Amino acid sequence: MNDILIHKTTDFFQQTFGSEPAKTVLSPGRINIIGEHIDYNDGFVLPAAIDKIICFAFEKNNSDTAKIVAIDLNDEFEVCVNDNQKRTDSVWTNYLRGVLNQLKIKGFKLDGFNCVFSSNIPVGSGLSSSAALECGFLFGINELFDLKIKPVDIALMGQSAEHWVGINCGIMDQFSSVMGQENKVIKIDCRTLEYEYHNADFNDYSLILFDSNVKHSLMTSAYNERRQQCEEGIAIIKSNFPQITSFRDCNEQHVLELHDVMSANVFKRCLFVVKEIKRVTQACNALDKGDIETLGKLMFETHQGLSVDYEVSCAELDMIVDTLKKEDAVVGSRLMGGGFGGCTINLIKKGHEERIKKQLSALYLDTFGIELKIYDVKIGNGTSLYIA
């Protein structure tokens, strides 16, 4: 599938600019195996790059202007690379302007270049196409002009570019897009950015995403509210247990002892966070042992917590997970991402995928009148140069 995308992108580049690209870059989307709503609570996350990508083609053009073409959008823009950047009404261009803004802030001087890109990452599915866009674009410029920016700094600059656009994301998306390795998940410490790789050999199971194809409008307001509730909760915990500096230092007993001090919602949010931080470590141990059944059990537990305690699920996502939980061939399923729509991530025993896809799609359409989208994914490499 990616070979088709690469040829499409490089052929388009040659037809548009009359030459072969000097650099071709592949930048992946990401999944998160477990560790949801933990990046802003000083915990750990367990993401991985996937085999769905944005392909970029670049060359220098001996000017001070970048000409950038989005093949899939049939749109393009030109920008003076060393000017102060301003946001525009063309949203997709702002992510790239944000990258140029970061380069200017860091003191890099660029020459002009041509760039085209195309993607097979489903937009709006929670697979972080925006991080792939920022990091792939920056990686390509870094290679084209030999800027010697380190991979971790590419991720951090990508995150800052997204903040400039107006989305206050954590570091997970950009970090996993840049630092991913084939058949590995990355345990990232969201407090220190220390990281370690764990094998992701799913053996007899396939990794399949079921996209609910819904986005409920609660997402932004509920996200901000959850952050505030967690901040209130950790402040209460610290005031009662002075030795605790963050949720990382808590166990369930700390939270349970403060049940009567916290509001009902703050208590539930804190309980979820403490349990989820613990589950990430348990998931790493399970993966290290090749124990996919235990990993799946943890995923079901995470969904239950996200639905009942953190209250960021919705009827559509709960229906998908509840239906799959009754299937012996499904060892794990949970919502992935912020919630209120988007995808579930699922581990399904090989040989049963097509039956389950067909049955669930029919039931989902019958229940909600909505077409289920389905993505088969494999864990792939992070942002890299393509060598033909």
Side-chain angles (χ1 to χ4, degrees):
M1 180 170 53
N2 287 342
D3 287 343
I4 295 169
L5 182 70
I6 292 163
H7 288 306
K8 170 187 168 183
T9 306
T10 53
D11 288 351
F12 187 97
F13 188 96
Q14 187 166 25
Q15 290 163 17
T16 303
F17 298 110
S19 56
E20 295 279 346
K23 304 285 182 182
T24 302
V25 172
L26 312 180
S27 188
R30 67 102 189 96
I31 53 173
N32 187 27
I33 302 296
I34 206 162
E36 218 62 83
H37 284 277
I38 297 304
D39 56 345
Y40 55 85
N41 282 311
D42 280 338
F44 307 100
V45 290
L46 198 63
I50 57 172
D51 59 347
K52 297 191 182 300
I53 62 166
I54 303 177
C55 178
F56 297 82
F58 292 87
E59 71 171 357
K60 298 177 184 178
N61 65 13
N62 301 313
S63 74
D64 62 357
T65 299
K67 183 169 183 178
I68 301 162
V69 184
I71 299 173
D72 308 328
L73 299 174
N74 192 27
D75 199 6
E76 62 184 64
F77 77 109
E78 292 190 23
V79 60
C80 185
V81 291
N82 294 306
D83 278 357
N84 291 321
Q85 301 300 319
K86 294 179 180 176
R87 288 184 293 275
T88 71
D89 292 335
S90 179
V91 175
W92 73 268
T93 72
N94 289 338
Y95 293 100
L96 307 183
R97 294 176 199 273
V99 169
L100 295 173
N101 180 61
Q102 279 298 302
L103 289 164
K104 186 174 177 66
I105 288 170
K106 301 287 185 186
F108 291 103
K109 290 278 189 185
L110 302 179
D111 295 322
F113 58 92
N114 299 324
C115 171
V116 306
F117 66 91
S118 184
S119 175
N120 58 26
I121 304 172
V123 176
S125 57
L127 302 182
S128 295
S129 56
S130 60
L133 185 63
E134 298 144 2
C135 294
F137 186 61
L138 179 52
F139 186 98
I141 294 170
N142 185 45
E143 291 289 335
L144 193 63
F145 296 105
D146 194 25
L147 302 180
K148 295 183 170 55
I149 304 171
K150 295 176 183 175
V152 171
D153 291 326
I154 288 177
L156 288 166
M157 289 169 71
Q159 180 194 25
S160 295
E162 189 140 345
H163 289 178
W164 182 83
V165 172
I167 301 164
N168 190 27
C169 61
I171 189 58
M172 178 177 73
D173 296 352
Q174 289 80 9
F175 198 98
S176 47
S177 185
V178 174
M179 304 295 290
Q181 290 186 8
E182 189 172 4
N183 297 323
K184 303 277 187 182
V185 295
I186 319 169
K187 183 186 181 187
I188 307 171
D189 183 328
C190 295
R191 187 162 60 183
T192 65
L193 285 192
E194 292 175 328
Y195 63 97
E196 60 190 33
Y197 293 98
H198 292 264
N199 286 329
D201 182 357
F202 295 116
N203 303 318
D204 300 327
Y205 295 93
S206 295
L207 203 53
I208 297 173
L209 309 181
F210 291 117
D211 187 344
S212 66
N213 210 6
V214 297
K215 288 281 181 205
H216 292 289
S217 58
L218 285 168
M219 179 58 212
T220 303
S221 60
Y223 175 85
N224 292 335
E225 183 182 57
R226 297 303 180 280
R227 289 193 72 149
Q228 290 162 3
Q229 289 165 339
C230 291
E231 287 165 10
E232 182 182 334
I234 193 63
I236 292 169
I237 293 167
K238 285 178 182 178
S239 67
N240 284 271
F241 299 100
Q243 75 275 21
I244 286 176
T245 60
S246 79
F247 280 115
R248 183 83 62 84
D249 310 318
C250 294
N251 57 43
E252 289 174 47
Q253 194 57 40
H254 290 123
V255 180
L256 292 170
E257 285 182 29
L258 297 174
H259 182 274
D260 296 333
V261 182
M262 296 177 176
S263 72
N265 282 338
V266 168
F267 171 77
K268 288 195 293 185
R269 309 306 183 239
C270 292
L271 196 59
F272 168 78
V273 169
V274 170
K275 287 180 176 179
E276 185 73 350
I277 289 173
K278 183 178 177 183
R279 276 191 287 264
V280 175
T281 300
Q282 292 173 324
C284 290
N285 292 336
L287 281 167
D288 290 343
K289 296 173 185 172
D291 184 357
I292 306 307
E293 289 77 11
T294 294
L295 175 66
K297 179 172 170 286
L298 293 167
M299 289 167 64
F300 278 129
E301 288 176 10
T302 290
H303 184 82
Q304 177 74 4
L306 288 166
S307 182
V308 175
D309 287 336
Y310 222 68
E311 297 181 284
V312 293
S313 190
C314 59
E316 294 90 349
L317 292 169
D318 285 344
M319 178 267 184
I320 293 170
V321 174
D322 290 345
T323 302
L324 294 177
K325 200 168 188 178
K326 297 169 189 168
E327 280 278 355
D328 290 341
V330 179
V331 290
S333 175
R334 70 172 188 86
L335 77 84
M336 185 180 73
F340 301 105
C343 286
T344 64
I345 179 171
N346 314 277
L347 284 167
I348 300 178
K349 195 164 183 63
K350 287 178 179 172
H352 296 265
E353 302 98 328
E354 294 311 311
R355 173 182 63 81
I356 288 171
K357 287 177 187 178
K358 189 175 178 181
Q359 289 176 353
L360 182 62
S361 295
L363 185 60
Y364 190 76
L365 181 61
D366 188 52
T367 306
F368 298 109
I370 300 169
E371 295 273 358
L372 197 65
K373 294 179 181 175
I374 302 171
Y375 313 119
D376 296 282
V377 296
K378 290 185 169 61
I379 293 178
N381 284 314
T383 309
S384 59
L385 270 184
Y386 172 72
I387 309 298

